[in-house]
Amino acid sequence: MRSLPKLLGLLGGVCSVAAWPAEARAVTASVPVRVPSLAGEAVTFDLTIGDAVGPVQVRWDMGDETRTEFTVGDLQQVHTYAAPGHYPVLATVKDDVGFTSVSFVHTVHRPLVTGSAAGSTDLVYDQPAARVYTANYENDSVSVLDASALTKLAEVPVARGPVGLALAAQGKLWVLHRDAHALSIIDTASLSVEREIALPYASQPMGLAISPTGDAAYVTLMAVGKVLKLDVASGAVVAELSLGGTPRGVSVSHDGSQIYVTRFISEDSHGEVARIDAATFQVSTRFALAADTTTEDTDQQGRGLPNYLFSVGLSPDGSFAWVPGKKDNIFRGPFRDQRALTDDNTVRPLVALLNLAEGVEDVARRIDLDDRNLPNQVVFTPLGDFAFISAAGSALVEVRDAYTGEFVTALKETGFAPRGLALTETNRLFVHASLSRTVTVYDVADIVSSHDLITKKLAEVPTVAVEKLDPQVLRGKQLFFNSADIRMSDQGYISCASCHFDGAEDGRVWDFGSVGEGLRNTVSLLGRRGTGHGNVNWSGSFDEIQDSDDNIRDLFGGKGFLSAEQLAVGTVGTPRGDKKAGLSPELDALAAFLGSLDTYQPSPYRNPDGSLTEDGVAGRAIFKRLGCDFCHTGPDGTDSARGKLHDVGTVKPSSGMRAGEPLLGIDTPTLNGVWETAPYLHDGSAPTLRDVLVTANPEDRHAFISGLSEAELGQLIAYVQQLDGTVDAGPSDGEAPGEAPSEAGGFLRCSATAGPPDRRAPLLAFALVAGWMTFGARRRRPS
């Protein structure tokens, strides 16, 4: 069975061959009725012949290696296809004068389930009302579009940070708010918010789906590792399930019996999708998406760990689930396999296919999307024979043959960061270009009918009337996501968002030895305000965000945003050299975007009112008593602005260098937001905060933990878990009395004989605790 592009190319060639001079084409032929058929069931093709001279002979090629010989009068072919697919059917006809042919693609599909599945998305199509709705995250609104006229009807103000939409009965539109940790319900007749439903404090609700049966809604809470089941009529929570990890995408089967939830940040061993039985609200299956350690790294494929699992697309036949995400090649690098990271083999996009009947991933059918970045949602044609995949980092939608997984075509010019998709009964595909603030609409009728690859871009409908982001910040975020710009990535695989989606982190440790660093743990950029804390990167190797042009050229394979002539002036081409600011509008825009990341996600470890818990208050006193606030000082909880680097016993050979120079220590990170950024330390060697303080704290060089009781240690950890920028880490006035300032490569430590704990000299407590990263900041709110 051939892929559709090859089939259509083949059939085009056949038609060209058949276009002989008029005198050689006395006979005409057509197959007037062609409808899709089911696998395993017979289908009949009837030829209609005209202008024949003498006996008519027909040869049939059914496209599945079944072929007849020329036979007189063989005008009907009854055939059974064993498997679903797209088959090129060719009927060659000859009479006493000449030849002609009829060719077309015949679609064979699996039996379809009744009804449609539901899944989390930021764009929904309301068929009865012929409307499309979008959730506008940064602008705190929901847009209403006319699906027929392709115009914007209204923009409804809603609570902070809308990330998901779902339609319920009686014209109710549910809106999920990440930042307000709430649901709001819009009456679609009056286009007004009629009520709000509070969700757990700081829970980061990310996924929303209403069961096709209409009786239950499901919400994922990414920060606390839970899924909620709500009564649709009342909005009351009727059940909750602890999944662990970071549940994000949620989908519900066509009959409402099964719920599928993705774990967004994977463990180092595998990715995961949980299947939940709706009746018992318990996990029935955990689909493990295995790390690929054996595929040869080439320019078209590579190893990697499935990660950033955004959503679950359920096929219309109920057989498979498609899970878009990425593969992180954490197996490659000079300290790991002695091979440098390349732009082809650092981050690659994937779509995993889950066999729902067998309860496992069909690893052989895993799709590697070549030259793409950040696939995040999948929708299917009504027969389930084609899949549309939005690629947020590539500014396009890719079309794949759902049976072979092969590339069909790409719908380009979607706008920046396409996410939500909806295919209507009129064969219009609506695409939410979230960072262009538009919905792009395509006519895909020819693809749906398997007739051709022709698509037509019908419109770009604006969604936001008044933009809340500063224009330079918005431009910077567009650049941050976009790997389709060859200045960012020549092959199209990597953008800043590949590891820092929504400004956060990916839970991975990368081997950057090939670019003059070492093993480096990705950490969130949220809250750091770009260089608001001081130099960035674990080694403090960049003193301005514009220095990231080095990584773009060296790691991303991009052309860079600075010219060779600009880099040749003075020490501009050197990190921490002459300033790059002002030389590139694009780099300045990236710096503006990162500079806008000025808050952290609130910690769910706090009390529901946002205050410190009793253990948190006690832990804060211990934090100060140990002198942790000597280095984790001031409102930002870091001494990074002083330009100091410290070694508290965690620097090792695999720590590598500092931009190709000797690494004498590590930059002090803020502890704000570390509750969600495991693993910890610059090389990710501490899985938990307890490991930071105990396992990875030789001779109390990091903090004098041996002087604490088990209860006190727990209180200290509780306090650090609650740091989220709303309470500082205990500001200090400066250097500790009697101690020289710590220089690069040095460290401060308390002597075991230095007196009681509250009189010991301050330590570099937690200097390497979680959250250190390549850049490290938080934006006003994640997108």
Side-chain angles (χ1 to χ4, degrees), residues 120 206 220 222 246-250 260-267 270-274 287-290 305-312 322-328 349-354 361 366 374-377 501 506 508:
S120 50
M206 286 302 299
T220 58
M222 195 163 71
T246 49
R248 185 173 180 130
V250 56
Y260 297 85
V261 178
T262 67
R263 177 171 179 158
F264 187 57
I265 304 294
S266 301
E267 298 177 346
H270 64 279
E272 184 176 279
V273 175
F287 294 86
L289 279 58
L305 170 74
N307 198 16
Y308 276 6
L309 304 181
F310 286 96
S311 61
V312 178
W322 286 42
V323 183
K326 66 167 182 165
K327 285 198 303 185
D328 293 333
L350 69 75
V351 178
L353 273 65
L354 310 183
E361 181 194 1
R366 182 182 288 182
L374 294 172
N376 61 95
Q377 188 165 354
F501 193 82
D506 61 3
R508 303 277 73 84

Side-chain angles (χ1 to χ4, degrees), residues 149-192:
L150 304 182
T151 57
K152 178 182 171 183
L153 299 174
E155 186 175 353
V156 183
V158 294
R160 292 184 302 116
V163 292
L165 302 173
L167 282 165
Q170 291 80 47
K172 306 302 180 184
L173 178 67
W174 286 42
V175 185
L176 184 67
H177 302 275
R178 180 180 188 176
D179 294 352
H181 34 267
L183 284 159
S184 58
I185 299 177
I186 295 176
D187 180 86
T188 58
S190 63
L191 294 181
S192 60

Side-chain angles (χ1 to χ4, degrees), residues 251 260 273 275 287 289 311-324 351-357 360-362 365 378 380:
S251 291
Y260 297 85
V273 175
R275 178 163 57 188
F287 294 86
L289 279 58
S311 61
V312 178
L314 297 171
S315 63
D317 54 33
S319 299
F320 287 91
W322 286 42
V323 183
V351 178
L353 273 65
L354 310 183
N355 186 315
L356 301 184
V360 296
E361 181 194 1
D362 189 340
R365 295 186 63 196
V378 179
F380 294 92

Side-chain angles (χ1 to χ4, degrees), residues 421-497:
L421 303 173
L423 180 63
T424 73
E425 75 285 356
T426 59
N427 296 322
R428 287 179 169 181
L429 183 72
F430 288 78
V431 183
H432 185 201
S434 59
L435 292 183
S436 290
R437 315 309 198 209
T438 59
V439 169
T440 308
V441 189
Y442 297 89
D443 181 344
V444 295
D446 282 344
I447 291 178
V448 173
S449 66
S450 300
H451 177 69
D452 209 328
L453 303 184
I454 297 174
T455 61
K456 182 180 180 182
K457 185 175 179 179
L458 300 176
E460 287 185 5
V461 186
T463 56
V464 175
V466 179
E467 175 61 50
K468 289 188 176 182
L469 292 187
D470 176 88
Q472 190 179 33
V473 171
L474 177 59
R475 177 58 180 149
K477 187 168 186 180
Q478 292 169 344
L479 291 162
F480 187 86
F481 268 81
N482 188 30
S483 65
D485 188 331
I486 62 171
R487 296 172 298 176
M488 176 67 75
S489 175
D490 184 47
Q491 298 299 314
Y493 289 112
I494 310 177
S495 66
C496 306

Side-chain angles (χ1 to χ4, degrees), residues 500 503-505 522-526 528 677 771 773 775-778:
H500 298 282
E505 48 88 35
T522 309
V523 189
S524 172
L525 308 182
L526 304 176
R528 290 217 173 187
T677 59
M773 45 187 146
F775 289 67
R778 174 120 202 170

Side-chain angles (χ1 to χ4, degrees), residues 342-353:
T342 69
D343 55 325
D344 284 302
N345 284 287
T346 299
V347 176
R348 297 188 68 90
L350 69 75
V351 178
L353 273 65

